[in-house]
Amino acid sequence: MVFAILPFIIIAPPLVYVLLSLWCGWSYFDRKKEVAKTLPPVTILKPVKGMDAESFANFASFCTQDYPCFQMVFAVASASDPVVPVVKRLMSEFPAIDMELVVDERIYGPNYKVCNLINAFPRAKHDIIIVCDSDIRVGKNYLKEACSSFSDPQVGLVTSLYRTTGVMGAASAIEAMGFTSEMVPNVMVALRLEGLSFALGASMAVRREALEKIGGFRALVDYLADDYQLGNKVHRAGYRLVLSDYYVESILHCESLKNILSRQLRWARTMRVSRPGGYFASGITQPFPAALIALCLSGFSAAGLAAAAILYGCRSLVALIYSRSFVGDRIFPRWLWLLPLRDLFAFSTWALSFLGNRVSWRGHIFRLLPGGRIEEDR
């Protein structure tokens, strides 16, 4: 009798988590949404290095905002960077936008993206500062949505969810479905159970007062997960963090699975050192190893097959609901057959994250230190 129910005991933690994520998502996306009462002037800081997929179109999307007053400041470390002509073309095609390019090679620490932000910050004219990754594209209402909560003086930071609606082949689909089936559900659970204490790097809008209170961008320059640190430091400084459910678009390259694994492993190792306890505990919510263990320990019996089928039936259904109703990326059902492989990919990066402290980022190798700090491995 015990042997017969063992497979169902094994799948219980990830199954409960899957259903919990559905409930958390439904309660969040079904809430009454906040309406913008004021539209404060905004400075958008864009730290850039090299070319991303469709860089010009990504940058141009910020120039067509339905918003009364905003400024854009691009920051790059070298005048020879291939992205510089793209920014100059942008400035010529959108002359009405308050826009400038800062070229400054000064280094303050191992996070070169944050170094660019430090160099650009003195040119920021406004009290709401937005930092967006260079591979992000937005719609015309992005600024309205991102800044809708700043009428409350207790709000120190607003961060946005992100998705990918266009994938090019199975490799990019495996990465994109991670946003839909892992990142967004995990954020929903964290938001519901413990509140928001971190930011998502795709889009972060921070109040200048809050930024200065935590020591400015210089407080982030020794960390790889500058987005997590920015949100967490603003939270610990006593400000409220808000999650905007306006999705920004992460535009993916057509890349090999090897490159995607390297990037996912960097994120995994970064989160392991930033939130060690929670990250380690997340292993029990992984569906793939639970299904595999249930099958193997049961000798692929009817009970083991039933347990695995129940787990992946629920997992697939929740992923489909997130994709179609909550995220709107339409990745599923087309790529639903890849979900077990995506879960194997996620479990592999989780396990591999414990086997080393080195990560590759933008052509540099870094060593991760306790607490999330980094040093360049020369």
Side-chain angles (χ1 to χ4, degrees):
M1 179 65 179
V2 174
F3 187 77
I5 65 171
L6 182 60
F8 299 96
I9 295 174
I10 292 170
I11 68 160
L15 181 60
V16 169
Y17 188 81
V18 164
L19 298 176
L20 175 64
S21 71
L22 178 61
W23 174 69
C24 292
W26 227 307
S27 63
Y28 175 76
F29 289 103
D30 195 45
R31 80 197 190 286
K32 184 178 179 180
K33 297 182 181 179
E34 197 169 356
V35 178
K37 297 176 182 178
T38 59
L39 298 175
V42 172
T43 293
I44 303 169
L45 298 184
K46 277 279 187 182
V48 290
K49 179 182 179 182
M51 298 290 289
D52 293 297
E54 304 175 35
S55 288
F56 181 82
N58 297 343
F59 299 159
S61 69
F62 289 85
C63 298
T64 58
Q65 293 295 298
D66 182 14
Y67 202 80
C69 181
F70 66 96
Q71 171 201 20
M72 290 185 69
V73 181
F74 289 87
V76 66
S78 171
S80 62
D81 193 295
V83 79
V84 169
V86 178
V87 176
K88 289 183 176 180
R89 176 188 164 197
L90 191 77
M91 296 170 72
S92 66
E93 293 197 15
F94 294 93
I97 303 296
D98 184 359
M99 190 185 327
E100 64 180 296
L101 172 65
V102 174
V103 180
D104 195 327
E105 62 182 10
R106 284 179 293 174
I107 300 298
Y108 309 90
N111 189 320
Y112 300 131
K113 169 189 167 183
V114 174
C115 292
N116 281 342
L117 290 172
I118 294 170
N119 291 331
F121 183 67
R123 311 308 293 266
K125 299 176 180 178
H126 306 303
D127 288 336
I128 302 300
I129 311 295
I130 291 184
V131 178
C132 267
D133 287 343
S134 58
D135 62 349
I136 293 299
R137 190 175 301 177
V138 296
K140 67 177 183 179
N141 291 321
Y142 161 68
L143 286 180
K144 284 183 178 178
E145 296 286 345
C147 300
S148 64
S149 300
F150 283 109
S151 56
D152 180 353
Q154 293 302 309
V155 172
L157 182 145
V158 178
T159 192
S160 300
L161 296 168
Y162 55 97
R163 65 186 178 191
T164 293
T165 56
V167 298
M168 298 163 287
S172 60
I174 286 175
E175 180 167 26
M177 70 174 64
F179 304 153
T180 307
S181 63
E182 294 166 32
M183 184 273 293
V184 177
N186 290 346
V187 170
M188 293 298 103
V189 173
L191 185 65
R192 185 73 181 185
L193 297 187
E194 59 186 57
L196 193 64
S197 61
F198 55 88
L200 303 171
S203 169
M204 303 179 291
V206 62
R207 195 183 296 275
R208 182 188 292 264
E209 171 192 288
L211 182 61
E212 292 176 345
K213 190 171 181 179
I214 68 168
F217 289 117
R218 286 179 182 265
L220 314 175
V221 76
D222 292 321
Y223 296 91
L224 183 59
D226 50 270
D227 51 354
Y228 172 82
Q229 293 294 335
L230 175 60
N232 192 248
K233 289 178 183 296
V234 170
H235 170 72
R236 288 191 282 114
Y239 291 91
R240 187 163 71 91
L241 273 55
V242 173
L243 179 68
S244 169
D245 55 6
Y246 180 90
Y247 284 91
V248 299
E249 293 280 333
S250 177
I251 307 300
L252 300 181
H253 287 281
C254 185
E255 293 184 283
S256 69
L257 200 57
K258 179 181 177 181
N259 288 340
I260 293 172
L261 175 61
S262 176
R263 181 163 54 251
Q264 298 275 322
L265 185 57
R266 184 184 77 233
W267 293 342
R269 286 180 173 165
T270 301
M271 289 312 301
R272 175 177 62 80
V273 297
S274 297
R275 301 184 68 184
Y279 183 80
F280 180 78
S282 70
I284 67 169
T285 69
Q286 297 270 356
F288 186 87
L292 185 61
I293 293 170
L295 286 170
C296 292
L297 289 184
S298 69
F300 289 83
S301 67
L305 290 169
I310 289 171
L311 175 57
Y312 264 94
C314 291
R315 170 82 168 132
S316 299
L317 178 60
V318 171
L320 183 62
I321 291 171
Y322 262 89
S323 178
R324 306 295 291 189
S325 299
F326 300 160
V327 181
D329 58 10
R330 301 300 189 263
I331 291 177
F332 300 132
R334 180 186 177 189
W335 297 101
L336 201 56
W337 61 276
L338 273 176
L339 188 58
L341 184 57
R342 168 66 217 184
D343 288 342
L344 171 60
F345 195 81
F347 174 67
S348 299
T349 56
W350 179 85
L352 287 171
S353 71
F354 294 97
L355 300 180
N357 289 309
R358 286 178 172 80
V359 295
S360 174
W361 185 35
R362 294 278 186 175
H364 299 270
I365 303 297
F366 296 94
R367 182 183 294 108
L368 290 165
L369 305 176
R373 294 179 183 272
I374 55 172
E375 62 181 16
E376 190 162 1
D377 195 2
R378 300 182 184 278

